Structures are given as C-alpha cells and as structure tokens.
Amino acid sequence: MITTDILTDAQTYLMNTYARQPLVLIKGRGTKVYDSDGREYLDFVSGVATNNLGHCHPRVVVALQKQAQRLMHVSNHFHNEPQIHLARELVRRSFADKVFFCNSGTEAVEAAVKLARRYSREVLRRDRHEIITMRGSFHGRTMGSLAATAQEKLQKTFEPLVPGFRYVPFNDAGAVERAVNEQTCAVLVEPIQGEGGVNVPNDGYLRELRGICDNHDLLFMLDEIQTGMGRTGKFFAYEHADVSPDVMMLAKGLGGGMAIGALLTTSTAAQAFSPGSHGTTFGGNPLACAAALASLETIIEDDIIVPSAGDLGRIFLKGLEDLKSRYAFIKSVRGQGLLLGMELDFEGKEIVTACLKEGFLINCTMDTVLRFMPPLIISSEEIDLLLETLDRIFKKR
Ligand SMILES: *Cc1c(COP(=O)(O)O)cnc(C)c1O
C-alpha cells in the first residue's frame, strides 16, 4: 500500500485524538526507525521515553518469542513466573517491598490513588481521602488520573472531575505544607515534570516533601512513569534526591517497548490492599512481564547504560546551552539525563516538522518546549548530529 492511501485510511477509520505526523513507521532498530517510504530517522522520541534500550532490542525480542510460544495470558487467579520474577527484580533494585502490575501509566496512577485512600482508612483508621498534586503535572487520561493532573486544558469539557485532589504550585514545598488539612492522605509528584515541559525542581524539594509526609502521616507517592528505568542517569530519579518514597508508579520505560505498568510500595503501604480490593485482567500477564524482565536484566547486567545516560545527558545539555547562547529565541534549556527540554519563545511545531524533514524525530510539549528523550543507548555522535541539525534549522529562522 502506498503511503498516501494508508494516511487516507487513517483519516477514515481512526478517531481524531492525536495531531499525528504524516508518517507511517514500519520498522525500528536501535536508535533508528524507518517509514513506509523507506526513509530512516534518528529517534529522539523513543515512543515517549519508552524504548530505553532502543527499538527491537534482541534480548527483549527473544524473550517475547519464547514466552509467546509458552504462555501469553492467564488470569491473576493463578500465579505466573515472569510476573513473580519481574516483581522480585524490581524490589531488589528499588526502595520497594511489593509490586502490583497493570498495563499502563494511567492505571498505575489509578492504583496509587485507590491505595492512598484505602491505606488511610483501613490501615491508619483515619477517614481521609484528599491527595495533593502539582500544577503542570501529568498523571494520565482516565478519570482519576485526569483529576490528579492539574492542567485545566486537559480537564476542561470532561467535568465533573473525580473529587479529592488539591493542587499547589510545583517546586514549592511550603505550598504543600499549607495545603495539608485533616482530609489529606497523600502527596503525588513527578520528580521531573515531563509532559508539563521538562520542569526540574530545586535540590531539596523532594526531601522537603518527604519530611512533610512524615510529619502528617501522608503517603509520599512518586510518579516515575517517565523518569524511571534509567532515563535521568539513575535507575530511578528519586535516587538523585537521596529520598525514598512510600509509593512509586512505573510504566513507559519498564516494558522494553511492551505495554506494562506497575505500582511499587513499601510493605507498610502495601497493607492497604487485600484480595478483592483491586485487580486487572491483563496486568502482569506473562508476555508483558517477560519483555520487561528481559529489558530490566539487560539494564542491570550492563552497568554502563544508566550512568552513561547521565554522562550523555550532560554532553547533550551542554550542546543545547551552546545553542541557547547563540539564538535569543531560546528561552531556557533544562532537564536531567536523557530527558531534556528547550523552551522557545514561539511554537515548536515548525521545528519538529523541520527536524522530521532532516531525518530526526523530536517532540514538543506545552506548545513551546522541544523535548528530547532518545533511547539510553544513543551515541554522542548521534546527539551531535541532532545538535548540528538544530543549528542549521535555527540559522534559517
Ligand atoms: C505518560 C505518563 C503517564 C500516563 O501513562 P499512560 O501509559 O499514557 O497512561 C502518567 N504519568 C507520567 C509522568 C507520564 O509521563
């Protein structure tokens, strides 16, 4: 089928929920993807911070092939080995004692919201339900996580929202302290706001939030759906801040490209759930868990990938800073590891399109923030290629 026909079918049959590029991707290998016309692109989107090991990593592919031949799905009324092994490895590698698996980021957030309310009522025996979240946050699109997401433009037209969320400015621990009341049961925050424009808080912010949660018996819940799994140069972003949460949500980079989400908690917080209190049909299925396990084992065994994401991030950020010093329309560059942003004083769409024409996939969030989140296995030469291309594009402006 020729590309224009595929795009016509897309118009005809798909709901109009995304501003998609007119591009049909048919193959990926490592840091590169290929379209239906055979063009090659360097991928600085990575399925939105998802393909951390690049596309079709051989170890993930083999794990999927083997597991697909053995067992793809069974009910959570039974045990399956990939789910247990994956939970064990996540526990070994994090603050957590217990794991609940689901299929996506938003489901992990829903699980966290339910756990927080139930923890307060069933474990602490205090009837509290409010969760404090941050302005500019992004926690997902289902009704609970949408209510947690303090962005009016995403919530508008979907009211009434799920009640029980209180919004405060990001990067302001004092505002969290002032917002705590007798209804508050948890604080939910991203270590770096991803969709909100790659907003990095001050050093000490997460530690202050941890302190507030301890003082008021609140669950400290980190949404590491975008920042987790090595993206920021540590396995989890909370490691930079030298804090440990009670609850953490993972998804995106967890599955090596497969759809999977997870809620990780301390054993104390995990007491909230008992048989029947929460569940899912597909969550923790053997196929997705086998892919995630292969991806996780690869990252753990190769002890270069995560620190090199930090090193490459520093090189990349320096390159972006250099561009900023030469183009006045660049308002700021920021980020950590391989989650970087460049804020422009105009809409970034045209730059995304220009990069596409040059063979680079990049993303733009909040209209004016170019976001770069390549696979963690990218090379510094590939980063240079993008920086040179951006320079050429900016020069023509
Ligand atoms: C992407 C994202 C989500 C939602 O994940 P989905 O899998 O799209 O539901 C939630 N929180 C953060 C921080 C994200 O980046």
Side-chain angles (χ1 to χ4, degrees):
M1 224 172 153
I2 61 171
T3 301
T4 48
D5 291 342
I6 305 175
L7 295 177
T8 305
D9 276 0
Q11 279 262 333
T12 309
Y13 298 116
L14 291 176
M15 268 197 219
N16 191 22
T17 48
Y18 307 98
R20 293 185 214 252
Q21 300 292 345
L23 188 75
V24 184
L25 299 176
I26 58 165
K27 186 175 131 175
R29 283 290 177 282
T31 55
K32 301 190 176 88
V33 289
Y34 302 84
D35 74 9
S36 50
D37 295 326
R39 286 201 65 195
E40 181 183 285
Y41 302 85
L42 253 179
D43 187 1
F44 285 79
V45 179
S46 309
V48 187
T50 290
N51 303 297
N52 284 12
L53 291 177
H55 293 274
C56 301
H57 189 281
R59 200 156 154 193
V60 177
V61 170
V62 169
L64 275 169
Q65 285 168 333
K66 280 193 178 158
Q67 191 59 47
Q69 287 178 337
R70 262 174 103 89
L71 186 68
M72 283 199 254
H73 177 76
V74 285
S75 161
N76 279 312
H77 297 146
F78 309 97
H79 290 288
N80 78 73
E81 282 185 88
Q83 182 179 137
I84 300 163
H85 290 168
L86 179 59
R88 186 185 61 205
E89 292 309 311
L90 285 170
V91 165
R92 278 191 182 155
R93 199 57 201 78
S94 73
F95 75 96
D97 304 308
K98 301 279 185 187
V99 186
F100 171 83
F101 289 109
C102 50
N103 309 285
S104 64
T106 199
E107 283 174 73
V109 173
E110 296 291 339
V113 168
K114 287 179 74 176
L115 178 125
R117 289 185 176 187
R118 201 174 151 90
Y119 177 77
S120 203
R121 289 176 176 140
E122 291 291 306
V123 181
L124 300 180
R125 300 278 165 201
R126 292 175 67 181
D127 189 19
R128 311 178 301 178
H129 70 278
E130 258 184 29
I131 299 176
I132 297 173
T133 69
M134 312 306 155
R135 298 210 176 273
S137 59
F138 185 83
H139 299 294
R141 304 276 194 165
T142 53
M143 290 310 288
S145 64
L146 181 66
T149 295
Q151 289 196 56
E152 210 182 304
K153 72 165 195 239
L154 301 178
Q155 295 176 333
K156 164 174 90 186
T157 69
F158 296 110
E159 297 92 350
L161 297 173
V162 174
F165 294 89
R166 182 173 287 257
Y167 310 138
V168 301
F170 183 61
N171 197 17
D172 183 350
V176 173
E177 176 74 55
R178 289 189 295 280
V180 175
N181 62 29
E182 62 289 344
Q183 292 298 325
T184 315
C185 68
V187 173
L188 170 61
V189 63
E190 297 155 86
I192 296 173
Q193 289 188 333
E195 304 303 308
V198 194
N199 303 317
V200 186
N202 298 335
D203 289 349
Y205 175 60
L206 293 181
R207 225 168 315 131
E208 284 180 72
L209 295 187
R210 172 78 267 180
I212 293 166
C213 289
D214 289 340
N215 292 341
H216 298 280
D217 252 333
L218 313 175
L219 289 180
F220 182 42
M221 311 205 292
L222 289 181
D223 181 343
E224 291 237 23
I225 289 166
Q226 190 154 153
T227 53
M229 309 313 292
R231 173 66 41 194
T232 67
K234 297 268 189 197
F235 218 92
F236 301 110
Y238 69 76
E239 295 170 24
H240 293 290
D242 206 16
V243 292
S244 164
D246 303 301
V247 174
M248 175 169 73
M249 290 127 267
L250 296 175
K252 292 200 165 87
L254 177 59
M258 276 291 281
I260 185 169
L263 182 72
L264 281 69
T265 74
T266 60
S267 50
T268 308
Q271 296 172 79
F273 284 160
S274 51
S277 48
H278 192 54
T280 149
T281 300
F282 285 119
N285 69 79
L287 196 59
C289 289
L293 186 61
S295 173
L296 184 62
E297 285 175 344
T298 305
I299 296 174
I300 291 172
E301 284 169 27
D302 175 332
D303 40 58
I304 296 298
I305 293 176
V306 175
S308 95
D311 296 337
L312 288 166
R314 276 183 283 277
I315 295 170
F316 201 163
L317 191 60
K318 222 161 157 261
L320 295 174
E321 275 161 1
D322 180 50
L323 288 171
K324 177 174 177 289
S325 71
R326 289 187 292 120
Y327 297 99
F329 56 72
I330 301 173
K331 286 170 74 176
S332 124
V333 297
R334 53 196 185 234
Q336 193 159 27
L338 292 173
L339 178 58
L340 299 173
M342 171 184 266
E343 187 174 353
L344 307 171
D345 70 4
F346 58 91
E347 290 206 356
K349 255 188 292 197
E350 59 175 280
I351 305 298
V352 173
T353 306
C355 281
L356 200 65
K357 289 206 179 95
E358 300 281 335
F360 295 86
L361 304 187
I362 67 166
N363 170 265
C364 180
T365 188
M366 300 303 272
D367 297 330
T368 57
V369 182
L370 302 180
R371 184 170 42 160
F372 311 102
M373 45 199 160
L376 308 186
I377 55 155
I378 193 142
S379 67
S380 58
E381 290 78 16
E382 289 171 321
I383 291 169
D384 284 342
L385 285 176
L386 176 71
L387 290 167
E388 285 158 26
T389 303
L390 284 171
D391 193 14
R392 242 182 305 123
I393 292 167
F394 288 161
K395 227 177 247 158
K396 285 195 217 137
R397 242 198 143 250

